[in-house]
Amino acid sequence: MVRRIPVVALLVGILLVLAAPPAGAHALVRRSDPPDGALLDQAPRRVTITFTEAPDSSVSVVHVLDSSGRDVAAGKAVPQPGNPLTLVIPMGKVGQGVYTVTWRVVSRADGHVTAGSFSFGVGVSPAGAPTPVVAGSSSPSPSPLAAAGRWALYAGLALMLAAGVVGLVAFGGKAPPGRFVVVSWALAVAGLVIMAVAERNAVGASLARFVHSAAGRALIRQGIGLAVAGLAVLFLALRPGRTSLWALAGAAAGAMLLHAEAGHAAASPRYSWLDIGAQWMHLVAVGIWVGGLVWLLVGTRGREGTERAVAVRRFSTLAGIALIAVAVTGLQRAISEVGWPTDWRRLVDTGFGLTLLIKTAVFVALAALGARNRYVNVPRVGSAPGGISALRRTVGAEVLLAAGILAITGVLTQLTPPATLAAAAPRARPPANVVATGSDFATSVRVRLTVTPGSPGPNHFEARVSDYDTGAPVPATGVQLSFALPGRPDLGTPTLDLSKESTGMWAAHGTVLSMDGRWDVSVLVQESSNAVTVPLTLETRLPAERIRTIPGSNGQPTIYEIDLLGGASLQSYVDPGTAGRNTVHFTFFQGGGSEQPIAAAMATALPPTGAMTELHLIRFDAGHFGANVTLSPGAWRFEIHASTQNQTMYSAYFTERIP
């Protein structure tokens, strides 16, 4: 019967490995609305952030900051009803500008802290967001205090579990010395206390808030588990025997289950019970194997001859079964947290993977020593002189390696698994483009024109022609685009003939968008029996720039600071910034803060009507220009192109909404 146990364990392990789902651990951002880098026409009413695992909103903090660092969120972050992975942050009434969302959340599953930020713009390119303290998503470095606490907890639980199991299996129901078991329990309690202190420091919450958080409640549950184990230790001290050994082993295994429920395994997005079960089996198997080595050293003292040889052989068999369970459940957890073999490059690309490789190497060395004991030293115990001494030396080396594995595990549990990083990795954004849609006067044909990248110069034009009512592709025989820029009749009306890609889809490359502005586009759709014209309006894109907006107050205008090449910058503002007569100011600065002399400059204004006009610049100083302009209500975009004496070229733009 005993010989069948390894086979059964191996079969169960194979099933666990094949069923391993990808695990999540650490709450990293999966997506957000608005997304990172979005440019919005209107301010959002709320910001939503979806994480890879559920955050604990009671101790998590999210801020929405404007360019001056002021928090413009209208309330605290709360979970989205029916979706615990998503936090919702209500927004107050805000104007144009760049907004940075910073977050610091605590995972509800495993209590780990992560932080990060992203930005979006309202009427202003988000490329101008000031550099945040924490960019993207990040997790704090492993805490030495937390690692020490985990090591003590693992070691104490392993010793208590092994005291019960090894006492029952190897030593015929005889309990180990009571003082050693008490020390094991005290070690586990000390470890849990240290973990609680480290977790509270990481969360940064008051004691009352921490106790009521998910991480605090998980630690309290583990404390209750250790209290039950303490009662089992007391029972063993008062009534040593098989019953008390069973009670001790059961209490220690229960405490391990509570710990597994508060770790990486609990963050699995699907079948968390499978990951928790595998993690619990892994902890139990490690406890029996590693903790049993210590009790083997202690238990063989004072035993001689046949009794000692029988105990050693029984433990060797038990350790072999535990070794198989450790290997199989460890493989299941590795696949869950790293990925299938096709993803094993993550083992050398991430800190988690490298730490796991180190742990695996130590495990292999430990298994090699165990094999030497099994096949060389164990047969010599009781039959050859010096057999027990050789066994003790090898077991002593195993104990040292096992202590190292527990220390590595204490660090590993604080790192973000690669599977979680992959789930949170930013997806490649599609190429930037400009889209215009419209229909003919009779509303019979609809055209969707996509221009990539949508900036002045070479572009790819793609027109989707469909029936206005049914949406079915229109079997056109030809599609031609003609362009006109209001206010610039000198550019003429260039045309571009599109080629048929498929039914209803036409495309071509061209440079007809020669200048920035709002272009009038006329789409001529030629059918077999007639032709229709679809008018569109298309506004070109400008390249992203880093811009900081300093809101005006008490009659002072809003100031726009734009980063330029070589550390230079441009400071612009519209005075007074209301409908009517205004002066637009442009001042160039060198990296050191002094004014940058400009040899030549040209500026334009793009009004809400789309008819771009050139501004008459007045030089106030070597690098300071102004232009008088009459502004109507709406969004105005101002551009300036300048050069220095050494032909360094500067280009910048900003948009201001005139009330």
Side-chain angles (χ1 to χ4, degrees):
M1 179 67 181
V2 173
R3 293 180 179 178
R4 296 179 182 176
I5 294 178
V7 178
V8 174
L10 182 60
L11 292 175
V12 172
I14 292 173
L15 292 176
L16 286 173
V17 170
L18 293 177
H26 295 67
L28 303 181
V29 170
R30 187 186 299 274
R31 60 180 176 271
S32 65
D33 184 18
D36 183 20
L39 175 57
L40 310 178
D41 293 328
Q42 295 181 339
R45 294 183 178 180
R46 64 179 189 172
V47 173
T48 63
I49 310 175
T50 301
F51 295 88
T52 54
E53 62 184 62
D56 185 351
S57 60
S58 65
V59 286
S60 298
V61 179
V62 182
H63 296 293
V64 183
L65 308 176
D66 63 14
S67 56
S68 66
R70 181 173 61 94
D71 194 346
V72 296
K76 294 179 59 178
V78 296
Q80 187 178 63
N83 186 5
L85 296 178
T86 300
L87 290 180
V88 179
I89 307 95
M91 289 282 290
K93 186 177 181 180
V94 298
Q96 287 189 325
V98 176
Y99 297 91
T100 302
V101 181
T102 66
W103 51 270
R104 186 176 186 274
V105 300
V106 180
S107 167
R108 180 177 291 276
D110 56 25
H112 289 141
V113 178
T114 52
S117 68
F118 63 90
S119 61
F120 64 90
V122 178
V124 178
S125 170
T131 303
V133 176
V134 182
S137 300
S138 64
S139 300
S141 300
S143 163
L145 186 64
R150 282 178 166 81
W151 182 91
L153 178 65
Y154 297 154
L157 290 176
L159 289 171
M160 283 192 289
L161 176 66
V165 175
V166 174
L168 288 167
V169 175
F171 296 116
K174 294 182 180 179
R179 63 182 182 276
F180 289 110
V181 180
V182 172
V183 169
S184 301
W185 177 79
L187 183 63
V189 171
L192 186 64
V193 171
I194 294 173
M195 285 174 56
V197 172
E199 180 69 14
R200 185 192 170 193
N201 291 341
V203 172
S206 65
L207 181 60
R209 287 181 61 201
F210 177 68
V211 168
H212 290 89
S213 69
R217 292 193 298 270
L219 288 168
I220 290 173
R221 287 194 296 270
Q222 294 182 69
I224 294 173
L226 285 182
V228 173
L231 294 176
V233 171
L234 180 61
F235 181 37
L236 179 67
L238 297 176
R239 300 286 297 273
R242 287 185 173 274
T243 302
S244 55
L245 286 175
W246 276 110
L248 179 62
M256 287 180 171
L257 177 60
L258 292 173
H259 182 72
E261 290 179 336
H264 283 173
S268 177
R270 297 179 300 164
Y271 312 121
S272 61
W273 57 269
L274 177 63
D275 273 328
I276 292 174
Q279 180 67 22
W280 177 63
M281 291 172 61
H282 189 72
L283 291 174
V284 168
V286 169
I288 293 173
W289 180 27
V290 172
L293 292 171
V294 176
W295 295 127
L296 181 65
L297 288 176
V298 174
T300 53
R301 293 183 182 276
R303 287 182 171 85
E304 300 292 340
T306 303
E307 182 185 11
R308 182 168 61 188
V310 170
V312 169
R313 285 196 299 271
R314 287 176 176 174
F315 174 77
S316 180
T317 301
L318 178 65
I321 297 171
L323 174 61
I324 294 174
V326 169
V328 174
T329 55
L331 178 60
Q332 190 274 346
R333 297 300 300 130
I335 291 176
S336 180
E337 295 182 331
V338 176
W340 287 94
T342 54
D343 300 318
W344 282 2
R345 181 177 178 81
R346 298 170 181 171
L347 289 171
V348 296
D349 290 342
T350 63
F352 184 98
L354 292 173
T355 307
L356 181 59
L357 288 177
I358 295 173
K359 179 182 176 181
T360 303
V362 178
F363 168 78
V364 171
L366 188 58
L369 290 178
R372 176 175 177 79
N373 268 339
R374 171 74 176 176
Y375 297 107
V376 177
N377 293 329
V378 170
R380 295 173 58 191
V381 174
S383 62
I388 189 63
S389 298
L391 177 71
R392 286 181 177 278
R393 286 194 298 270
T394 306
V395 170
E398 287 184 88
V399 170
L400 291 177
L401 288 177
I405 282 184
L406 295 182
I408 295 170
T409 303
V411 174
L412 191 66
T413 54
Q414 299 182 70
L415 298 175
T416 306
T420 302
L421 293 174
R427 293 167 173 78
R429 296 178 185 172
N433 54 44
V434 175
V435 178
T437 59
S439 62
D440 64 316
F441 180 76
T443 62
S444 61
V445 173
R446 186 190 302 274
V447 173
R448 176 184 173 88
L449 178 64
T450 303
V451 184
T452 306
S455 55
N459 280 277
H460 176 73
F461 298 83
E462 187 177 86
R464 184 182 298 274
V465 185
S466 59
D467 184 270
Y468 186 89
D469 296 318
T470 66
V474 171
T477 59
V479 175
Q480 184 186 72
L481 308 179
S482 61
F483 300 82
L485 184 60
R488 295 301 302 266
D490 54 310
L491 297 179
T493 54
T495 60
L496 180 66
D497 291 319
L498 305 187
S499 300
K500 185 176 181 180
E501 299 282 321
S502 61
T503 302
M505 182 65 70
W506 298 75
H509 290 275
T511 57
V512 287
L513 297 179
S514 56
M515 293 186 63
D516 180 50
R518 292 188 183 94
W519 289 75
D520 290 336
V521 183
S522 179
V523 185
L524 177 63
V525 180
Q526 183 70 49
E527 299 183 66
S528 57
S529 58
N530 67 325
V532 296
T533 300
V534 177
L536 303 175
T537 299
L538 188 147
E539 183 174 346
T540 55
R541 295 176 60 255
L542 289 174
E545 61 182 4
R546 297 189 62 84
I547 179 171
R548 291 171 294 279
T549 305
I550 304 174
S553 61
N554 299 324
Q556 298 299 314
T558 297
I559 298 176
Y560 303 89
E561 294 183 348
I562 305 168
D563 292 343
L564 304 175
L565 295 174
S569 63
L570 171 69
Q571 187 178 95
S572 295
Y573 60 92
V574 181
D575 188 19
T578 57
R581 194 69 173 169
N582 284 262
T583 302
V584 186
H585 291 263
F586 305 93
T587 307
F588 293 86
F589 292 94
Q590 298 176 354
S594 58
E595 194 169 297
Q596 169 66 58
I598 296 296
M602 186 272 288
T604 59
L606 180 64
T609 59
M612 179 177 287
T613 59
E614 184 173 345
L615 299 178
H616 176 66
L617 290 178
I618 304 170
R619 183 186 290 272
F620 294 136
D621 210 335
H624 182 191
F625 299 86
N628 296 318
V629 59
T630 300
L631 303 180
S632 59
W636 285 73
R637 188 168 73 199
F638 302 95
E639 300 176 41
I640 187 167
H641 305 275
S643 61
T644 63
Q645 289 288 356
N646 61 4
Q647 299 303 308
T648 299
M649 305 297 296
Y650 296 128
S651 294
Y653 65 92
F654 69 94
T655 300
E656 178 159 338
R657 184 172 295 276
I658 303 300

